[in-house]
Amino acid sequence: SYVLTQPPSVSVAPGKTARITCGGNNIGIKTVHWYQQKPGQAPVMVIYYDSDRPSGIPERFSGSNSGNTATLTISRVEAGDEADYYCQVWDNAIDHPVFGGGTKLTVL
Amino acid sequence: QVQLQESGPGLVKPSETLSLTCTVSGGSISTYYWSWIRQPPGKELEWIGYIYYSGSTNYNPSLKNRVTILLDAPKNQFSLKLSSVTAADTAVYYCAKVVTGSYHVDHWGQGTLVTVSS
């Protein structure tokens, strides 16, 4: 099945820009979605259709997808952005969604 | 605003069947994909399976032989049954609504912890 690879952790200072990657074979031709999960809470979608933001998600969150890498970018990082982030695509081969392994974002 | 709420036992004995129900409010269950997703403690999200409002299903191949997802449209509910459970099935179980076409989850339940232990 299709495999999504994320770095286990990313650290960033407040006010800086965090970039979380999601690697997959030719992922650029797929549609990528991103979820934020804070401890003890259900995930919340922050980006869908590669780069669209649901209502209520700050403009600081953006997404891109090309080649073998999709990227979630968080600008002007705040302490409240500290969470686990998961990417997700649809695996056409098995007609099933697939999640990445998740990336823990630490705000220094 | 659609809301989802999981319900069911929080403790299941090994080799028995885990049964959970998801109640959908604020919208009709007669559209979209309705899914179960789980997350073992400290680990990543894992897709269990989904059911379409028509009744068609698709399950994670790694769990396929043990999983059944059913839809009860009149009650606006869908359910999960996972048989022959082991400690490895201990997890927070989420029910979720998946948008057709884009296949992203736009609504999640709060999640319920199910522990497999004697």
Side-chain angles (χ1 to χ4, degrees):
Chain A
S1 62
Y2 194 79
V3 176
L4 295 174
T5 302
Q6 297 183 238
S9 63
V10 168
S11 298
V12 64
K16 299 299 185 183
T17 297
R19 294 179 179 84
I20 298 172
T21 59
C22 177
N25 184 31
N26 217 10
I27 195 174
I29 64 171
K30 293 184 175 296
T31 299
V32 180
H33 317 295
W34 291 91
Y35 304 89
Q36 175 194 69
Q37 185 180 33
K38 296 182 178 180
Q41 298 183 18
V44 172
M45 186 176 61
V46 292
I47 292 288
Y48 65 110
Y49 276 126
D50 293 341
S51 58
D52 288 349
R53 264 187 335 270
S55 61
I57 300 301
E59 291 184 5
R60 301 183 297 105
F61 287 80
S62 63
S64 62
N65 184 19
S66 178
N68 292 315
T69 305
T71 303
L72 172 68
T73 301
I74 309 172
S75 305
R76 303 181 301 282
V77 166
E78 303 174 355
D81 298 330
E82 192 163 275
D84 294 326
Y85 291 84
Y86 294 90
C87 57
Q88 178 243 314
V89 301
W90 186 265
D91 185 345
N92 296 316
I94 58 174
D95 203 21
H96 212 277
V98 175
F99 284 108
T103 297
K104 181 176 182 58
L105 176 67
T106 300
V107 181
L108 301 171
Chain B
Q1 177 76 341
V2 173
Q3 292 185 317
L4 297 89
Q5 178 68 57
E6 305 89 351
S7 59
L11 181 64
V12 181
K13 290 182 168 55
S15 79
E16 294 190 346
T17 297
L18 179 159
S19 296
L20 295 173
T21 298
C22 182
T23 301
V24 180
S25 59
S28 173
I29 202 169
S30 297
T31 188
Y32 303 114
Y33 289 96
W34 302 96
S35 300
W36 289 96
I37 299 163
R38 70 180 183 179
Q39 186 173 36
K43 295 189 177 181
E44 63 202 62
L45 298 165
E46 179 184 29
W47 216 288
I48 298 172
Y50 63 79
I51 187 166
Y52 196 41
Y53 75 95
S54 63
S56 64
T57 56
N58 196 342
Y59 302 133
N60 188 320
S62 68
L63 300 170
K64 187 174 184 177
N65 293 335
R66 300 194 290 131
V67 174
T68 303
I69 297 176
L70 298 173
L71 193 76
D72 188 339
K75 292 185 177 179
N76 241 34
Q77 294 177 334
F78 62 105
S79 63
L80 168 69
K81 291 189 185 300
L82 182 65
S83 63
S84 304
V85 296
T86 69
D89 295 309
T90 293
V92 175
Y93 286 76
Y94 296 100
C95 59
K97 170 177 163 283
V98 178
V99 177
T100 51
S102 61
Y103 305 109
H104 67 269
V105 179
D106 65 346
H107 289 86
W108 298 74
Q110 66 183 26
T112 186
L113 175 63
V114 179
T115 301
V116 179
S117 173
S118 55

